[in-house]
Amino acid sequence: MSVTTPAGFRAAGVTAGLKTSGRPDLALVVNDGPLAVAAGVFTSNRVVAAPVVWSRTAVGDGVARAVVLNSGGANACTGPEGFADTHRTAEYTGAALRVDAGDVLVCSTGLIGERLPMDTLLAGVHDAAARLTSDGGADAATAIMTTDTVSKTSHVQGDGWSVGGMAKGAGMLAPGLATMLVVITTDAVIDAARADAALREATGTTFDRVDSDGCMSTNDTVLLLASGASGVEPAPGQLEAALTQVSADLARQLVADAEGASHDIAVTVSGATSETAAVAVARAVTRSNLFKAAVFGNDPNWGRVLAAVGTVPEDVAPYDPLTLDVSINGVQVCRAGGVGEDRTLVDLAADREVQVLVELHAGEASATVWTNDLTHDYVHENSAYSS
Amino acid sequence: MSVTTPAGFRAAGVTAGLKTSGRPDLALVVNDGPLAVAAGVFTSNRVVAAPVVWSRTAVGDGVARAVVLNSGGANACTGPEGFADTHRTAEYTGAALRVDAGDVLVCSTGLIGERLPMDTLLAGVHDAAARLTSDGGADAATAIMTTDTVSKTSHVQGDGWSVGGMAKGAGMLAPGLATMLVVITTDAVIDAARADAALREATGTTFDRVDSDGCMSTNDTVLLLASGASGVEPAPGQLEAALTQVSADLARQLVADAEGASHDIAVTVSGATSETAAVAVARAVTRSNLFKAAVFGNDPNWGRVLAAVGTVPEDVAPYDPLTLDVSINGVQVCRAGGVGEDRTLVDLAADREVQVLVELHAGEASATVWTNDLTHDYVHENSAYSS
């Protein structure tokens, strides 16, 4: 399942010993071809981890044959020595798989500011390379978990080809998680240009629209590998749709497992002058600590929604504050910028999922951004973090 | 003390009955002249409460003779009826004081989206007008409290003149609090232009640089009233310095009383190419929930500082990520973008105040933004808010 659902891929997940918990912490995904097409999307943070610097360059030629991922350490803010560690990981993995080091992508997740224990990590790579199987996707998905409580995988079956994926991440989403790592595979026949365009299209409306706590990671990475093993080239739009579907599924799973959350909140903004405007307004609401704390308390506090909407500059999202409508779980609690239906009609305690709809009455565009509530457990987990 | 320290002012604070707690909830500050100079700075939120709409217009001519402030209800998102309530409050107060309604400024704080009980409020105005005294400043400061645990006042003595002030607010700061209301008085002889310029200068480096939880209120208001009763015109810069000192003192008191906080965090960014760049970087750090939660856990998690610094676009704040230094309480835990001194040398548990210094090594400018840690109590207070 997962990344090994499409033909042409093997994977493994092992316990290298990077985590003090003794849980699996090293994953390997190998593309056996015949194609070795790859694309990547990375955090837009200017402070990036060594594996992001490496992988961004390595995937630049549209070719990759393997991805090695570790939890138990982010290898971020580790200076030139940290980059040398990533480089050595790629070299070692390449040698073990008999592929060029430049075709090995590296992802790391865990604490920032600490060097990885390289002997432990490389022994794990050795072990994983020996255990690669065509049904190792589930093990790989487990080995990349940090504070995740469940592993996340997805797949979509196309017409003679398929797309599979795995993801980890539970905290920082902005587009980044603490850390979001995603590997998506397909056995469809596509070239590097199509892979890159399809991946950017898919992430732009899925992973980029999840904003758990407004924090952007130094390590976020979404990779796409295409083996071509199906021999089938999907019709225009088909691969793109499947990739978006897998991305949306994985993104939704990330929200559902966000650190300490008790509610998943979908903020939909409609009636915007553009999709960009709709996203900007939705993101402002998803970043309101006050609104998110209110949802934790099952309080449909629409005033805090309006206060957040009002922070978006007029040149970004034109609207008239006196025409704003807000519905929460289908109850229009705010009408024309003022009091609407009785807020006590909203029952937030009944479901984990909360639907917030903001109608701007300014245009035709809409967008949805997902977030979570702000809870005691979020504060607890992030004030006492250890991977 | 407080707003009645300067000559020419009377104030009162009474219990009108707007709060279910039975605590004081209505304040009146009157300028008996001879001057009636006034200036105001208001929230930059596009969604603003009725009293902000009223007061912004009323102070536009640089003249005001009284401010009426209520807690127990924000009168925000209350539509045309809410504006009529504010208008009526100004009319009633003006009649009680025998001044023009257009010279009465109105401030409200409390829950959003509910009408004020006008009979109760106006009876409170009547009562307050009868109790005005030249030492009523302390009572007024108490009557504007919501979730504040202490009242906030300040004053600075000039050469024959003085500046006094009161503030309330404990949650939203961005520049806004949940809600920040500030009234500053002076008996110095100044004209409206100097009052306006001095107030903007003072708020720009004080209240605007407090960011408790990234949320911006619909009601934030800072007012300056000048009576001229001292007969002294301060030399250039003197009034401005005193006003900034009072503003800084009140802003620091707001941080110290922020909802649920256990740490006050001063984020100073130095080596920036401009003050604007320094503020942008500092603000990014003060808005990192992950860093703020770490401070709550007494964890000097500098990686989260760097991750926040990295979110500021390069055109806003140029710097090289590989030269960043971060010190926490004087210990340089991050050097040149990597590991610095031993983080265990930082003791965050010893003091409420935490000093974070980010050195960008890109220029000569610096700025400090204050925030608080993200705590269980913040989540609790904001998930079960009632004024």
Side-chain angles (χ1 to χ4, degrees):
Chain A
M1 296 298 287
S2 147
V3 291
T4 48
T5 302
F9 292 93
R10 287 176 297 149
V14 302
T15 301
L18 302 168
K19 285 178 178 167
T20 52
S21 65
R23 293 196 181 135
D25 50 18
L26 193 127
L28 201 52
V29 179
V30 175
N31 180 354
D32 291 318
L35 299 180
V37 166
V41 172
F42 301 90
T43 178
S44 55
N45 203 311
R46 291 164 69 190
V47 174
V48 294
V52 170
V53 176
W54 171 268
S55 298
R56 206 158 49 183
T57 303
V59 82
D61 60 0
V63 177
R65 297 187 182 275
V67 186
V68 55
L69 312 94
N70 74 274
S71 50
N75 197 7
C77 306
T78 45
E81 298 83 359
F83 186 78
D85 290 342
T86 292
H87 191 173
R88 193 169 156 216
T89 303
E91 293 274 4
Y92 188 93
T93 306
L97 301 174
R98 300 182 196 284
V99 302
D100 193 278
D103 292 339
V104 177
L105 308 180
V106 183
C107 298
S108 299
T109 177
L111 279 178
I112 293 179
E114 291 184 8
R115 295 275 302 279
L116 291 166
M118 287 303 293
D119 289 348
T120 305
L121 190 150
L122 298 183
V125 172
H126 182 84
D127 186 22
R131 291 167 184 255
L132 288 164
T133 65
S134 59
D135 61 359
D139 287 348
T142 299
I144 60 174
M145 292 165 62
T146 55
T147 53
D148 307 64
T149 64
V150 292
S151 68
K152 289 122 185 148
T153 63
S154 182
H155 78 281
V156 166
Q157 184 64 46
D159 188 10
W161 50 272
S162 68
V163 175
M166 65 177 186
K168 66 88 25 182
M172 284 170 155
L173 298 147
L177 294 173
T179 287
M180 178 178 75
L181 298 182
V182 180
V183 178
I184 302 175
T185 56
T186 181
D187 50 12
V189 175
I190 56 172
D191 63 15
R194 186 172 180 186
D196 186 68
L199 186 62
R200 285 174 198 285
E201 180 185 322
T203 56
T205 56
T206 56
F207 298 115
D208 278 355
R209 294 197 184 165
V210 173
D211 198 331
S212 175
D213 64 5
C215 295
M216 189 191 294
S217 161
T218 53
N219 289 55
D220 293 339
T221 302
V222 183
L223 300 173
L224 171 63
L225 306 176
S227 70
S230 72
V232 179
E233 184 177 345
Q238 288 193 351
L239 182 273
E240 290 72 12
L243 193 59
T244 298
Q245 193 179 328
V246 163
S247 298
D249 183 19
L250 292 173
R252 185 67 188 83
Q253 292 181 52
L254 292 172
V255 169
D257 195 26
E259 284 175 355
S262 66
H263 281 298
D264 307 338
I265 311 170
V267 179
T268 300
V269 174
S270 60
T273 52
S274 68
E275 192 173 341
T276 304
V279 169
V281 173
R283 206 174 281 284
V285 177
T286 63
R287 292 192 179 175
S288 167
N289 279 349
L290 287 175
F291 176 62
K292 287 150 62 93
V295 171
F296 169 56
N298 293 314
D299 171 14
N301 197 317
W302 59 270
R304 294 178 179 177
V305 175
L306 249 61
V309 171
T311 64
V312 179
E314 189 156 13
D315 58 344
V316 174
Y319 65 80
D320 177 355
L322 298 181
T323 66
L324 298 171
D325 299 329
V326 178
S327 296
I328 300 180
N329 283 357
V331 181
Q332 197 181 57
V333 283
C334 167
R335 194 174 296 142
V339 182
E341 289 183 73
D342 186 352
R343 56 193 283 157
T344 64
L345 296 173
V346 182
D347 180 10
L348 293 181
D351 284 306
R352 181 177 170 100
E353 189 167 317
V354 176
Q355 293 282 344
V356 178
L357 176 63
V358 179
E359 170 60 52
L360 300 182
H361 293 293
E364 301 295 322
S366 67
T368 299
V369 177
W370 283 88
T371 190
N372 298 100
D373 53 351
L374 179 60
T375 68
H376 289 296
D377 286 350
Y378 174 88
V379 173
H380 178 72
E381 288 198 33
N382 286 297
S383 60
Y385 178 90
S386 60
S387 75
Chain B
M1 297 295 287
S2 149
V3 291
T4 48
T5 302
F9 292 94
R10 287 176 299 150
V14 302
T15 301
L18 302 168
K19 286 178 178 167
T20 52
S21 65
R23 293 196 181 136
D25 50 19
L26 192 128
L28 200 53
V29 179
V30 176
N31 181 354
D32 290 319
L35 300 181
V37 167
V41 172
F42 302 89
T43 180
S44 53
N45 203 313
R46 291 163 70 189
V47 174
V48 295
V52 170
V53 176
W54 171 268
S55 298
R56 208 158 46 182
T57 303
V59 82
D61 61 359
V63 176
R65 296 187 183 274
V67 186
V68 55
L69 311 95
N70 76 273
S71 50
N75 196 8
C77 307
T78 45
E81 298 83 359
F83 186 78
D85 289 341
T86 290
H87 191 173
R88 192 168 157 217
T89 303
E91 294 274 4
Y92 187 94
T93 306
L97 302 173
R98 300 180 195 286
V99 304
D100 194 279
D103 293 337
V104 176
L105 309 180
V106 183
C107 300
S108 299
T109 176
L111 279 178
I112 295 179
E114 291 183 7
R115 295 277 300 279
L116 290 166
M118 288 304 292
D119 289 348
T120 305
L121 190 150
L122 297 183
V125 171
H126 181 85
D127 187 21
R131 291 168 185 255
L132 287 165
T133 66
S134 58
D135 60 0
D139 286 348
T142 299
I144 59 174
M145 292 165 62
T146 55
T147 55
D148 306 65
T149 64
V150 292
S151 68
K152 289 121 186 148
T153 62
S154 181
H155 78 281
V156 165
Q157 184 64 47
D159 187 10
W161 51 272
S162 67
V163 175
M166 66 178 185
K168 66 85 30 182
M172 285 168 154
L173 300 147
L177 295 175
T179 286
M180 178 177 75
L181 298 183
V182 180
V183 179
I184 302 175
T185 56
T186 181
D187 50 13
V189 175
I190 56 172
D191 63 15
R194 186 172 179 184
D196 186 68
L199 185 62
R200 285 175 198 284
E201 179 185 320
T203 55
T205 56
T206 57
F207 299 115
D208 278 354
R209 295 196 182 164
V210 173
D211 197 332
S212 176
D213 64 4
C215 294
M216 189 191 294
S217 161
T218 52
N219 290 55
D220 293 339
T221 301
V222 183
L223 300 172
L224 171 64
L225 306 176
S227 70
S230 70
V232 180
E233 184 176 345
Q238 287 192 354
L239 182 274
E240 290 73 12
L243 193 59
T244 298
Q245 193 178 329
V246 164
S247 298
D249 182 21
L250 291 173
R252 185 68 188 80
Q253 292 181 52
L254 292 171
V255 168
D257 196 25
E259 283 175 355
S262 65
H263 281 298
D264 306 338
I265 310 172
V267 178
T268 300
V269 173
S270 60
T273 52
S274 69
E275 192 172 339
T276 304
V279 169
V281 173
R283 206 174 280 283
V285 176
T286 62
R287 291 192 178 177
S288 167
N289 278 349
L290 287 175
F291 176 62
K292 289 149 61 91
V295 171
F296 170 56
N298 293 314
D299 171 13
N301 198 318
W302 59 270
R304 293 176 179 178
V305 175
L306 250 61
V309 171
T311 63
V312 179
E314 189 157 13
D315 59 344
V316 173
Y319 65 79
D320 176 355
L322 298 181
T323 66
L324 297 171
D325 299 329
V326 177
S327 297
I328 300 180
N329 282 357
V331 180
Q332 197 181 57
V333 284
C334 168
R335 193 173 295 142
V339 182
E341 289 183 73
D342 185 352
R343 57 194 282 158
T344 64
L345 296 173
V346 182
D347 180 10
L348 293 180
D351 284 306
R352 182 178 169 98
E353 189 167 317
V354 176
Q355 292 282 344
V356 178
L357 176 63
V358 179
E359 169 61 52
L360 300 182
H361 293 292
E364 302 294 322
S366 67
T368 299
V369 177
W370 283 87
T371 189
N372 299 101
D373 52 351
L374 179 60
T375 68
H376 289 296
D377 286 350
Y378 174 88
V379 173
H380 178 73
E381 287 198 32
N382 286 297
S383 59
Y385 178 91
S386 60
S387 76

